[in-house]
Amino acid sequence: TEQLMSTEQHTPSHILPLALATAERRADVGGKAVGLQAIISAGLPVPAGFVICAEPLSRVLAGTPTGAEVAALIATGTEEALHAAQAMVAKAPLPDELRTEVLRACASRGGTGGPFAVRSSAVAEDGGDQSFAGLFVTELGVRGEGELFAAISHCLASALAPRVMAYLRRGPDAGSEAAAPGMPRIAVIVQELVEADAAGVLFTVDPVRGHDD
């Protein structure tokens, strides 16, 4: 069962338990979180966790000189510029209010000792037009407050990876004015890390043809 922030008192506006990351909230929680919520709703076991919504993360650099510089680097669009923008986002401090909410969410599960899996959940991820499979960052084995916040920032910065921006440019709206890439909206999931003996991927339909036979 979803135990992180199990009461209304522990559900701040910027953070949601995975059980509440419904499809209607996709613009806040991203595609991966929506998928995990669907698995939870189906009654299947999912490691407990929460999602930091995209909106507060999108404001990390808002109105700052660093934010303006990052925007200029994105507009440049070269691989070197995007790597520089990534580094700046990864080093930008998260707002104090958001840090407090993350620590409160962790406290309801016994603190920041971990280990955690910190996972990107972009709004456009696992969508009908583009999947972004394997393009964003997941950090495993995260322990302690310092590693946790560094991992969150690293996931956020992964939205500016050159491979992500190149994938965006090849999307269904490629060539249109609206397709000019900015920083993709991205949420971040924090889950308990399961010490698995084995892991794999199950396809219930042919991923290319869509056939289920």
Side-chain angles (χ1 to χ4, degrees):
T1 59
E2 179 60 59
Q3 299 177 39
L4 279 161
M5 298 182 301
S6 57
T7 66
E8 183 178 353
Q9 176 182 355
H10 292 117
T11 308
S13 58
H14 294 158
I15 292 178
L16 290 173
L18 286 174
L20 298 182
T22 59
E24 293 77 15
R25 287 173 160 152
R26 184 186 184 95
D28 294 320
V29 301
K32 187 178 280 120
V34 168
L36 290 170
Q37 189 277 335
I39 296 171
I40 292 169
S41 294
L44 298 173
V46 172
F50 58 87
V51 55
I52 307 167
C53 293
E55 180 58 28
L57 290 173
S58 71
R59 297 199 303 264
V60 167
L61 298 177
T64 68
T66 301
E69 190 170 350
V70 166
L73 289 168
I74 295 172
T76 300
T78 66
E79 185 169 338
E80 182 179 4
L82 292 173
H83 281 310
Q86 274 189 279
M88 295 176 76
V89 172
K91 293 177 181 177
L94 298 175
D96 289 342
E97 178 186 2
L98 185 58
R99 291 171 66 94
T100 298
E101 291 182 4
V102 170
L103 292 175
R104 185 183 300 127
C106 290
S108 69
R109 288 293 302 162
T112 58
F116 300 109
V118 181
R119 314 175 66 191
S120 307
S121 182
V123 171
E125 190 173 354
D126 297 334
D129 295 321
Q130 292 179 287
S131 69
F132 291 87
L135 295 184
F136 299 106
V137 162
T138 290
E139 296 279 357
L140 302 177
V142 174
R143 297 178 182 272
E145 182 177 330
E147 286 190 11
L148 177 60
F149 288 123
I152 291 169
S153 294
H154 191 193
C155 287
L156 177 61
S158 74
L160 291 176
R163 63 188 182 185
V164 172
M165 306 307 275
Y167 186 75
L168 279 170
R169 292 189 182 97
R170 294 196 303 267
D173 297 323
S176 70
E177 185 177 343
M183 183 168 178
R185 282 175 61 86
I186 191 168
V188 175
I189 296 166
V190 179
Q191 284 182 279
E192 293 179 358
L193 180 63
V194 174
E195 299 290 346
D197 294 321
V201 176
L202 171 67
F203 291 100
T204 57
V205 298
D206 185 304
V208 176
R209 297 174 296 169
H211 298 167
D212 60 2
D213 55 12

